[in-house]
Amino acid sequence: MDRDTFAYSTKFFRDYSGPTRGASCQSHEHVDYIEKPEIFTYADFFKDYLIPNDPCVFSAKFTEGWGSRRKWVTPDGKPNFEYLLRTFGEAVVPVANCDVKEYNSNPKEHLKLKEYISYWREHIKKSYRSPRGCLYLKDWHLHRVFPEQDVYTTPIYFSSDWLNEYWDAISVDDYRFVYMGPKGSWTPFHADVFRSYSWSANICGKKKWLVFPPGQEEFLRDRHGHLPFDITAPDLKKSNLYPRYAQSSPPVEIIQEAGEIVFIPSGWHHQVYNLEDTISINHNWVNGCNVAIMWSFLQDELAAVQREIREWRDSMEDWHLQCQVLMKSYTGIDYKEFYNFLKIIAENRIYVLENHHSEEDASKHSYRAAISGLGMLHAVFDLKRTAKVLTSLNANEEFKKLNPETLSPPPQALLHRLKAAIDTALL
């Protein structure tokens, strides 16, 4: 970070105390296009897009140095099947069938990449028709399986990434994905996991995004309160099925070209189409700007589970624990793990603040190095946001039923340490 950016960021992070869900500075009728990496700073992204929770598109200049853009793409801009086969052909990948609806998603199977590419080539030869349907490789954890491959570098704008910081720390999962699909493949209407941010970079091909600001999805619910699978379906115009559809605003449409990155903010529902044969890299991430939205989402999810099984409340032993189990099976996290998530995020930043003169130690831990790179006041900002959510979690009646005093460290002790680190850093 250069001196001017640091000076600006220092003032911004010290002064900013606005809401996580602030009013947007955009009209939502268009999406800003960021053209030049050399004049667009992390602080610009933070104040103009993360805090207001607004989308934007980064030009292909932001990805032009990536290995995948050189190696995964042919000179005419198509997927380089030969390179992908040589490098990853034996890898097992998840594949969804876009032509089949199963509940509110597409059914998946697992194939070797070489089998999927064989299908894809045949699909192209037959004018994008196949008796197997339109198959879409989705949610492939390539980074986790092939960490040594020169695929991409996460842009600094997305480097404050608490989801992957946490799941890397416990070596269980990650939220970094590769998508590959033929023209016509698509993803149904949804909002991202935990109401996280997402960024999606096209390595090749073209996508169309239909995106809705938070709250607009409420007008798209059917008479039973369910969200649509496909927002372009003719049935949405039937008032007896979708009584509030006429009150909805049209989606914001984004056409994403090869090399470009789309930033989708928290809680923006969207539906996505591949207009050409397309490969993309996607991350979901949470940070201090939207962790309160994640916590609000988790409370809503637990309340929904409790409503579903409320008739067994009196007869089921440890009913509140069963609700946590069910919640984790649906969302991937429960309240105790959310506490552990906040703990690891807090401890990494406390370490950086307490050891910021010890560059050698920080460099041995990639996330601590990234935290240091964003500056000490960013770490303080993160801790303030963590403290706010942790205070709310600790006061939550459902969390209190989980015997939080048995956690290590107990939440109150972590809060005390966290606040002491903030106070010391700001002296």
Side-chain angles (χ1 to χ4, degrees), residues 8 14 52 55 166 170 230 237 271 298 316 324 355-356 409:
Y8 171 80
R14 188 184 298 277
Y166 171 69
I170 63 173
D230 177 2
K237 296 180 180 179
Q271 187 162 308
L298 295 178
M316 183 183 292
Q324 293 285 329
N355 298 273
H356 63 278

Side-chain angles (χ1 to χ4, degrees), residues 119-363:
Y119 153 83
W120 193 350
R121 283 172 153 169
E122 189 68 17
H123 193 65
I124 293 170
K125 286 181 182 177
K126 293 184 176 179
S127 301
Y128 296 93
R129 290 183 173 85
S130 170
R132 298 177 65 182
C134 182
L135 303 185
Y136 191 7
L137 189 163
K138 302 174 71 173
D139 301 324
W140 178 23
H141 294 267
L142 180 139
H143 182 274
R144 195 169 72 203
V145 183
F146 298 97
E148 74 288 349
Q149 285 289 326
D150 174 25
V151 178
Y152 67 100
T153 302
T154 301
I156 189 173
Y157 315 102
F158 318 131
S159 60
S160 182
D161 177 352
W162 296 9
L163 283 188
N164 288 304
E165 179 179 343
Y166 171 69
W167 264 274
D168 284 352
I170 63 173
S171 302
V172 170
D173 202 355
D174 72 347
Y175 287 89
R176 308 177 188 93
F177 308 106
V178 169
Y179 283 51
M180 300 184 182
K183 179 175 69 174
S185 51
W186 66 293
T187 298
F189 189 61
H190 70 286
D192 287 315
V193 60
F194 308 137
R195 297 302 179 263
S196 59
Y197 298 132
S198 71
W199 62 265
S200 178
N202 275 1
I203 305 307
C204 63
K206 180 188 292 190
K207 290 180 185 286
K208 179 170 76 172
W209 298 72
L210 303 178
V211 299
F212 291 84
Q216 277 293 312
E217 74 278 1
E218 296 304 320
F219 299 116
L220 304 176
R221 294 187 183 275
D222 66 17
R223 61 186 180 183
H224 304 293
H226 301 138
L227 290 172
F229 178 74
D230 177 2
I231 55 168
T232 67
D235 279 354
L236 268 76
K237 296 180 180 179
K238 297 178 180 177
S239 59
N240 61 320
L241 298 179
Y242 292 87
R244 301 181 69 193
Y245 177 76
Q247 298 172 255
S248 67
S249 298
V252 178
E253 182 173 312
I254 301 170
I255 301 297
Q256 180 189 15
E257 303 286 350
E260 294 179 344
I261 306 173
V262 169
F263 166 63
I264 299 295
S266 284
W268 283 63
H269 284 68
H270 48 282
Q271 187 162 308
V272 191
Y273 298 88
N274 289 326
L275 303 180
E276 300 173 355
D277 296 317
T278 301
I279 300 175
S280 65
I281 291 169
N282 303 56
H283 280 208
N284 292 108
W285 95 103
V286 167
N287 60 29
C289 298
N290 67 340
V291 67
I293 297 177
M294 179 181 180
W295 169 225
S296 179
F297 167 75
L298 295 178
Q299 292 174 83
D300 291 344
E301 288 296 292
L302 180 61
V305 169
Q306 290 174 333
R307 287 193 298 271
E308 284 293 318
I309 64 170
R310 62 182 176 271
E311 62 187 282
W312 292 289
R313 182 170 193 147
D314 296 328
S315 59
M316 183 183 292
E317 187 177 356
D318 293 329
W319 179 83
H320 66 284
L321 294 178
Q322 292 302 317
C323 289
Q324 293 285 329
V325 170
L326 287 172
M327 174 190 171
K328 186 166 185 176
S329 72
Y330 297 151
T331 66
I333 196 171
D334 58 17
Y335 277 16
K336 277 190 173 181
E337 184 158 28
F338 184 58
Y339 170 74
N340 197 47
F341 167 78
L342 295 175
K343 179 187 77 170
I344 287 178
I345 296 306
E347 288 178 342
N348 279 341
R349 282 144 189 82
I350 291 169
Y351 178 92
V352 167
L353 290 177
E354 293 177 347
N355 298 273
H356 63 278
H357 295 300
S358 178
E359 295 183 10
E360 182 179 350
D361 286 343
S363 67

